[in-house]
Amino acid sequence: MLRSIEWLGDRVRWINTLKLPWEEETVETTDPERVALAIERMEIRGAPAIGVAAALAVALAAARSTAGSLEELRHHLHRVVERMRRTRPTAVNLFWALKRMEAVIDAGHRDTGELREAVVREALRIYEEDIEVNRRIAEAGSKLIDDGDTVLTHCNAGALATVAIGTALGVIRAAWESGKRIRVIATETRPVLQGARLTVWELMKEGIPVKLIADTAVGYVMSRGLVSKVVVGADRIVPPGYVVNKIGTYTIAALASRHGVPFYVAVPTSTIDFDGRVEDIVIEERNPDEVRTALFRLYTTVPTVEVMNPAFDVTPPDLVDAIITELGVVARPIEVGLRELRERRLRGELVP
Ligand code: MRU
């Protein structure tokens, strides 16, 4: 099983996704700041993966801290949490994971040793849960995929965006492993090509048939009846069902609706911001050179041109046919299903 990130006792190791598909480079560190930089540079990316990485960075800080008192250790860990919080603004999993880490930091431990252990344990719990949650999403979602389907996916919501398995690609993997003869269409996902570089790499590694298209070809392939279903991941979902995901997702959802293609979103419930409001969502604006160049190697425009580079967009609920979670499939009306999930969370049913 491909693991994008691992805890090695005193170190964290991850696959540097910036190097894929040319090179399978792994990076190891004992330094939480190096993990923060990896998230900012997108060596580690994808909503669940950045949440897990941030939690492991706090665990590293706890494991190697030389703080002599509980007060000092707590203060240090809170500073690391704050640093991790500033790495990327949109994916809610990051804030969700850090809130869990903060609850442990403030839980009233007797000494530094106990606090250190509790922090490491919680980070590992978040890590292990991610694998199990993705397995359940895959199982629930694969039931929506039929033998013979061609599934279009955008960006990379695979093992490389989680600890393992993936959300949207988990659904695709589970359908394939259950014997359904499916095909995948992956969009390139400009500007940094997560679809072309990562999704294609992951699927080809496992022999799942995949065809790559330019983002601009989505309308054409749908109009020709070449897509049976769309499955994507998300960085944040807010009531009554707004889906924040990689830029271009909204265009795909609008086209899917126009052509009667079901549009599914696969997420852990940790991606659902039950109390969030669409007006408050911060859409990350990234480096203009992502757009001006082909992966920073060659300018494809006049280098001084003004650029707009939002990393995510917002798909409205009426374009979403179902949300696939580890607790099952939320069908239309999405708003009602989300309300039920929220109540289950308040009753403490959700993981954790
Ligand atoms: O900017 P990225 O590569 O972190 O964006 C990732 C996405 O938009 C994914 O689709 C999303 O995080 C879901 S990953 C399971």
Side-chain angles (χ1 to χ4, degrees), residues 193-264:
L193 303 176
Q194 292 95 328
R197 295 186 300 106
L198 310 180
T199 295
V200 164
W201 180 81
E202 269 194 46
L203 293 175
M204 287 186 75
K205 226 173 157 55
E206 284 171 39
I208 301 175
V210 56
K211 230 173 227 177
L212 177 67
I213 61 169
D215 300 329
T216 41
V218 173
Y220 174 77
V221 295
M222 283 192 185
S223 72
R224 296 289 302 268
L226 300 176
V227 180
S228 328
K229 272 140 204 166
V230 175
V231 186
V232 295
D235 286 77
R236 189 183 286 248
I237 293 178
V238 299
Y242 288 97
V243 173
V244 184
N245 192 45
K246 181 50 56 191
I247 192 78
T249 303
Y250 171 45
T251 318
I252 294 171
L255 284 163
S257 162
R258 169 83 172 84
H259 295 287
V261 176
F263 181 87
Y264 301 137

Side-chain angles (χ1 to χ4, degrees), residues 48-286:
I50 63 179
V52 170
L56 293 179
V58 181
L60 280 180
R64 70 179 216 158
S65 165
T66 53
S69 70
L70 255 181
E71 200 41 44
E72 201 186 327
L73 180 56
R74 269 201 209 106
H75 179 72
H76 174 60
L77 294 179
H78 278 300
R79 281 187 46 196
V80 174
V81 166
E82 279 320 309
R83 168 69 183 105
M84 301 313 296
R85 224 178 231 136
R86 288 195 310 273
T87 51
R88 293 193 73 185
T90 308
V92 77
N93 306 63
L94 176 70
F95 307 100
W96 167 87
L98 290 171
K99 211 165 146 191
R100 278 182 62 171
M101 297 309 292
E102 272 182 325
V104 172
I105 296 167
D106 293 332
H109 298 280
R110 278 181 309 223
D111 53 50
T112 54
E114 199 181 281
L115 174 54
R116 276 201 192 94
E117 268 173 39
V119 165
V120 173
R121 212 169 30 242
E122 183 67 357
L124 292 183
R125 204 174 289 140
I126 291 172
Y127 176 92
E128 293 297 340
E129 273 174 21
D130 186 78
I131 301 173
E132 176 56 20
V133 159
N134 279 288
R135 200 188 55 71
R136 292 194 212 170
I137 294 169
E139 198 181 298
S142 68
K143 299 195 179 91
L144 298 175
I145 309 294
D146 295 310
D147 191 28
D149 272 354
T150 299
V151 181
L152 184 142
T153 190
H154 186 55
C155 192
N156 173 267
L160 293 167
T162 59
V163 173
I165 303 168
T167 55
L169 291 196
V171 169
I172 288 167
R173 275 195 173 97
W176 174 257
E177 280 162 12
S178 72
K180 291 174 186 164
R181 283 153 302 172
I182 58 170
R183 299 178 166 278
V184 179
I185 292 182
T187 52
E188 278 184 306
T189 321
R190 273 286 289 155
V192 288
L193 303 176
Q194 292 95 328
R197 295 186 300 106
L198 310 180
T199 295
V200 164
W201 180 81
E202 269 194 46
L203 293 175
M204 287 186 75
K205 226 173 157 55
E206 284 171 39
I208 301 175
V210 56
K211 230 173 227 177
L212 177 67
I213 61 169
D215 300 329
T216 41
V218 173
Y220 174 77
V221 295
M222 283 192 185
S223 72
R224 296 289 302 268
L226 300 176
V227 180
S228 328
K229 272 140 204 166
V230 175
V231 186
V232 295
D235 286 77
R236 189 183 286 248
I237 293 178
V238 299
Y242 288 97
V243 173
V244 184
N245 192 45
K246 181 50 56 191
I247 192 78
T249 303
Y250 171 45
T251 318
I252 294 171
L255 284 163
S257 162
R258 169 83 172 84
H259 295 287
V261 176
F263 181 87
Y264 301 137
V265 184
V267 290
T269 48
S270 52
T271 297
I272 305 172
D273 183 5
F274 290 101
D275 299 315
R277 298 182 325 154
V278 69
E279 312 83 89
D280 298 334
I281 293 166
V282 178
I283 299 289
E284 180 180 10
E285 180 78 26
R286 292 193 64 90

